[in-house]
Amino acid sequence: MSKFASFLDYNQKFTINSFPLLTLKEGEILVKNLCTSLCRSDLHTYQGKRIEKSPTILGHEIVGIIEAFGPNAPLNDFKDSPLKVGDKITWAIYASSPEDEFSKANMPQKAKDLFKYGHEQITDTSHFHGGLSEHTILKKNTLVIKLSQELPNEIASLINCSVATVAGALRLAGNIQNKSVSVYGTGMLGIIACAMASKMGASKVIAVDESAERLEVAKQFGATEICLPTGALHHKVDIVLEFSGALDAMQNSIRMLKIGGVTIWIGAVFPQSDIPINAEYIIRNLLTIKGLHNYNNEDFLNAVNFIEMNYTFFDFEKLIKKGFSLDEVSEAFEYAIAHNPFRVSIHL
Ligand SMILES: [Zn+2]
């Protein structure tokens, strides 16, 4: 038997249930979850700002240890390190066929047979696919990377959504070396983006946010300058990474660019109104707008490498409010919504 928090509908409390673990199928790995952090999209689902098929198990920022291998499960991780029972691992949010046309085009997160942890419906044949659970069953074709046992679980849990998505944004931005970067929106992803851009050699990192408190935190994670949205247009930069999803932020992100600049939109992952864009301004200033949803295999690998190299340099742990158990998942969501910390983590 394994315990999980079942989510039915928004503004309903989670119900804690137990169910026998399914027999592992071809290529599957059973993971004992250690820690799950509540991502913004989990909170949006809980609040009814986005809809998931239900009943479901939310939570996709997860870290765990291998408990068992199914038939023909991979015995090496994505870095080709051998895997064994007891290894601490992270895994990509998606499982999809490497033969799909989108997978082959480096967009496995958009493959036709996409399976996404923390976003699937519980059925008779599909269960234990989210982080608010004692176990996760990793599907065939899930990218797995072994982690150092020393890496704290709360930090490790950030890899498979926040950190990998930021790695994807920086891949789309191109060469960061000696470029000026603005990070618009300093929630968890924005803070990680400040840290990653600074480590990748950005000449300056300008953090923009409505919260003076969060901007102060950004300074401890690599931001060289901070400003409120009202002052954003006083800056001209090569790259903007837009994490807030606010309409005026996306418009500002275009106007902040120098000639030839690129803005990456990552934040607007909930229903949006159209925004006016001046085509002549884009054309005459040689600007590029790119969208990013989730990440690909390369981003996931870069995310693991970044965290393993820098988790002692940046104090990510202090951004995570700890101390909730699986039985307290409803309280953890209420706390996260009421107090808006960078992350709330659930210990499993
Ligand atoms: Zn997420």
Side-chain angles (χ1 to χ4, degrees):
M1 299 292 280
S2 181
K3 197 160 77 170
F4 63 98
S6 172
F7 175 81
L8 253 189
D9 202 359
Y10 67 91
N11 283 336
Q12 280 191 24
K13 283 198 185 306
F14 290 83
T15 51
I16 308 299
N17 301 315
S18 285
F19 196 78
L21 283 169
L22 310 179
T23 306
L24 294 181
K25 296 195 284 277
E26 177 85 12
E28 293 184 339
I29 295 176
L30 177 65
V31 173
K32 170 80 188 76
N33 295 336
L34 294 171
C35 176
T36 295
S37 298
L38 304 184
C39 174
R40 182 70 44 190
S41 66
D42 292 317
L43 303 183
H44 281 168
T45 304
Y46 183 73
Q47 293 172 294
K49 292 181 183 173
R50 51 181 283 160
I51 305 296
E52 296 285 1
K53 292 159 280 173
S54 69
T56 185
I57 303 174
L58 298 178
H60 53 271
E61 284 193 344
I62 327 168
V63 63
I65 53 170
I66 296 178
E67 197 164 286
F69 292 92
N72 299 315
L75 296 175
N76 289 309
D77 74 356
F78 189 55
K79 291 178 164 181
D80 217 21
S81 300
L83 293 172
K84 61 178 190 312
V85 170
D87 281 345
K88 187 187 285 198
I89 56 166
T90 180
W91 57 92
I93 192 171
Y94 50 84
S96 56
S97 167
E99 300 309 317
D100 183 275
E101 60 173 316
F102 290 108
S103 301
K104 285 180 175 169
N106 290 328
M107 297 180 282
Q109 76 272 38
K110 295 295 164 187
K112 281 184 280 300
D113 67 339
L114 174 69
F115 180 94
K116 267 177 87 173
Y117 296 97
H119 295 81
E120 299 290 334
Q121 194 170 23
I122 300 172
T123 67
D124 290 343
T125 53
S126 182
H127 203 324
F128 300 107
H129 34 50
L132 300 179
S133 171
E134 289 179 335
H135 289 88
T136 302
I137 295 175
L138 301 188
K139 295 274 177 198
K140 185 181 176 185
N141 293 327
T142 299
L143 217 63
V144 170
I145 299 183
K146 181 156 79 175
L147 298 171
S148 131
Q149 292 287 351
E150 288 83 61
L151 182 61
N153 294 335
E154 294 79 20
I155 299 175
S157 71
L158 303 176
I159 293 172
N160 46 18
C161 181
S162 302
V163 187
T165 305
V166 172
L170 285 162
R171 167 176 55 83
L172 291 182
N175 185 8
I176 302 291
Q177 201 84 36
N178 298 319
K179 299 276 179 65
S180 48
V181 178
S182 175
V183 173
Y184 213 117
T186 53
M188 193 73 237
L189 275 78
I191 294 293
I192 293 167
C194 290
M196 215 183 270
S198 74
K199 279 288 172 188
M200 288 170 75
S203 58
K204 53 182 171 181
V205 178
I206 304 166
V208 184
D209 201 286
E210 283 170 346
S211 161
E213 203 181 319
R214 290 198 164 203
L215 289 174
E216 282 307 313
V217 174
K219 283 203 274 187
Q220 298 156 33
F221 287 83
T224 54
E225 295 173 47
I226 55 173
C227 83
L228 296 168
T230 46
L233 296 183
H234 298 306
H235 297 277
K236 283 286 182 189
V237 294
D238 300 302
I239 295 158
V240 181
L241 306 174
E242 204 301 297
F243 292 103
S244 76
L247 300 183
D248 53 353
M250 283 179 279
Q251 293 194 299
N252 280 354
S253 79
I254 296 170
R255 297 283 170 170
M256 289 174 78
L257 291 175
K258 291 181 187 170
I259 288 173
V262 54
T263 177
I264 318 291
W265 292 354
I266 309 112
V269 280
F270 45 91
Q272 292 280 315
S273 310
D274 293 346
I275 52 171
I277 290 176
N278 187 294
E280 185 191 8
Y281 186 84
I282 302 278
I283 292 167
R284 290 195 186 279
N285 290 286
L286 312 177
L287 303 182
T288 305
I289 303 171
K290 295 184 184 182
L292 175 71
H293 185 220
N294 299 144
Y295 53 88
N296 69 18
N297 300 358
E298 174 193 342
D299 305 327
F300 179 60
L301 178 61
N302 288 339
V304 171
N305 290 341
F306 172 77
I307 285 295
E308 292 215 314
M309 284 173 69
N310 294 293
Y311 80 91
T312 54
F313 187 84
F314 296 109
D315 190 5
F316 290 113
E317 236 175 327
K318 78 169 180 192
L319 305 179
I320 303 169
K321 168 75 186 172
K322 309 173 200 179
F324 292 93
S325 68
L326 188 55
D327 291 321
E328 299 165 326
V329 163
S330 297
E331 289 86 336
F333 273 73
E334 293 298 333
Y335 180 91
I337 289 161
H339 299 278
N340 201 23
F342 287 93
R343 276 294 180 271
V344 167
S345 70
I346 312 289
H347 289 261
L348 300 157

